[in-house]
Amino acid sequence: MENALKGKVALVTGGTKGIGKAIADQLKNRGAEVVVIARTEPEEPADDRYFIAADLTEAGSAEEIRKKIIGRYGRIDIIINNAGANLSPGGGFSALEDEHWITDWQLNFLSVVRLNKALLPDMLDRKKGVIINISTNAARQPLWDMTMSYSSAKAALNAYSKALATELGPKGIRVNVVSPGVVETPLMLEFIDTVAKRSGISSEQAYENMMQAVNVPLNRMAEPEEVAHLVAFLASDDARYITGINYSVDGGALPTV
């Protein structure tokens, strides 16, 4: 896989930490020019990738990102829509207000739709490109007390991705989805701490409760790199006949094939 992406220009949203950073690292290791988007620049920015500060929940951000990428590189080859988070409180339907639903859908769904729409004309002009949308297994196996609005937004992302793959396949553009299960990232650990405080239990107990609820046969969380390796493969020409698929990286947690 070394140099498998040499000469490609790849965008990774939410690419400064967790899964996004691991994906950006893997793409860079395989020779890509990497553009990273996040709300704020990391404390230790990487000199070998181009950083754009942007809030993807703002409708105008997608066009500004397009101008910067096309202005610098003249094209975009790979889009990894990784930015996303479960921002709503737990507790089921009664705990969720309109603003919770709107916030989750803006970040986890509409931001992807806008960014793809802004960048796709370049791919269509050249009749080639790859889009990988990072979803979650919670879209297919939602936890009512933890992920209701987040899961609904990601389920919409899955349906949108399949429709987009069908539309764009004849035009030379592949679209796939990667759905991690529980991954040991700073955001996940922060989420567990929040659940622990809300429930009046220790973080260790909240972690155990989550692992029991998700029921991972491999009996551990994934490491971000284990998701990133699959994304890097799907972005490469080695996966040139793969499109419209949703891949789970969940340690076997989904109870169905």
Side-chain angles (χ1 to χ4, degrees):
M1 291 289 287
E2 187 176 354
N3 293 324
L5 301 175
K6 187 173 178 60
K8 303 288 188 181
V9 178
L11 166 66
V12 183
T13 68
T16 59
K17 57 186 177 181
I19 295 172
K21 182 179 184 304
I23 292 171
D25 290 345
Q26 289 297 324
L27 299 182
K28 190 66 186 179
N29 290 344
R30 287 160 171 74
E33 293 288 338
V34 176
V35 181
V36 169
I37 294 177
R39 290 184 180 180
T40 56
E41 192 166 351
E43 294 180 2
E44 298 181 3
D47 295 332
D48 61 352
R49 57 207 67 181
Y50 176 42
F51 177 80
I52 300 175
D55 182 350
L56 294 171
T57 63
E58 295 181 359
S61 65
E63 181 58 25
E64 290 303 311
I65 291 166
R66 185 197 69 79
K67 289 177 182 177
K68 290 179 179 179
I69 293 175
I70 301 302
R72 184 180 178 100
Y73 297 102
R75 71 186 196 283
I76 184 71
D77 300 299
I78 300 163
I79 304 170
I80 312 294
N81 289 301
N82 167 75
N86 182 12
L87 300 175
S88 297
F93 79 93
S94 61
L96 298 171
E97 305 295 342
D98 281 3
E99 61 265 27
H100 299 134
W101 291 95
I102 292 167
T103 297
D104 271 337
W105 276 69
Q106 283 282 1
L107 176 58
N108 295 291
F109 179 65
L110 286 174
S111 67
V112 176
V113 173
R114 292 190 194 107
L115 191 57
N116 286 344
K117 186 176 182 180
L119 293 173
L120 267 168
D122 172 70
M123 289 184 172
L124 290 168
D125 285 345
R126 294 183 299 110
K127 296 183 173 60
K128 64 186 306 184
V130 176
I131 296 173
I132 301 172
N133 297 326
I134 306 301
S135 185
T136 173
N137 267 6
R140 291 187 282 183
Q141 191 178 12
L143 302 174
W144 68 265
D145 57 340
M146 293 184 187
T147 70
M148 187 176 286
S149 59
Y150 170 69
S151 293
S152 70
K154 289 294 193 178
L157 178 64
N158 292 352
Y160 158 80
S161 300
K162 183 62 176 179
L164 195 65
T166 305
E167 178 185 4
L168 298 180
K171 301 172 184 178
I173 299 165
R174 296 189 294 108
V175 182
N176 286 298
V177 177
V178 172
S179 292
V182 286
V183 184
E184 193 163 332
T185 64
L187 195 62
M188 174 61 77
L189 297 178
E190 182 181 322
F191 174 70
I192 290 172
D193 286 341
T194 300
V195 171
K197 289 175 184 175
R198 187 181 71 232
S199 304
I201 59 178
S202 68
S203 294
E204 291 76 15
Q205 186 59 55
Y207 178 95
E208 295 260 341
N209 291 350
M210 172 170 285
M211 293 303 290
Q212 288 177 8
V214 177
N215 190 24
V216 182
L218 291 185
N219 201 32
R220 65 174 177 85
M221 288 190 178
E223 297 173 5
E225 292 75 17
E226 292 172 313
V227 178
H229 282 298
L230 175 59
V231 173
F233 165 71
L234 291 172
S236 75
D237 287 342
D238 288 336
R240 59 188 173 273
Y241 197 62
I242 300 175
T243 194
I245 303 300
N246 186 343
Y247 289 90
S248 293
V249 186
D250 67 349
L254 271 180
T256 58
V257 175

